[in-house]
Amino acid sequence: MLDYNIDWSPRLTSPDVISTSTWVVPEGLTVENEDMAPSSTTIWLSSGTEPEKYEVLNRVETVEGRIMDQTVVLPIKTK
């Protein structure tokens, strides 16, 4: 299991903060946990098949009503 964090602070203007976070995770990955702070989001994932690359989307909405997306490409490698 590995955790992946997105720091949204460069895209937020004070006093705006994250109010909701939604992750879109492709089949083949398992979501173990999710967390959200005022300016960052974190997801813990496991599984995956080597040498696949999975696109994981995080969509946040802020208290001021802004909706922002960030896609992360995760390559699967054996340790």
Side-chain angles (χ1 to χ4, degrees), residues 3-71:
D3 61 311
Y4 300 93
N5 178 274
I6 298 177
D7 178 7
W8 292 93
S9 60
R11 295 175 63 184
L12 296 170
T13 56
S14 184
D16 205 7
V17 294
I18 298 169
S19 60
T20 63
S21 170
T22 304
W23 292 91
V24 178
V25 179
E27 189 174 319
L29 294 177
T30 302
V31 177
E32 301 291 345
N33 197 7
E34 299 176 32
D35 194 20
M36 179 182 76
S39 63
S40 66
T41 55
T42 305
I43 191 168
W44 286 261
L45 298 169
S46 63
S47 303
T49 304
E50 187 178 20
E52 295 293 320
K53 292 181 181 178
Y54 296 89
E55 289 189 7
V56 177
L57 172 85
N58 184 210
R59 174 171 287 151
V60 296
E61 185 168 352
T62 71
V63 294
E64 293 185 357
R66 296 175 66 205
I67 297 173
M68 298 181 283
D69 290 347
Q70 177 72 43
T71 300

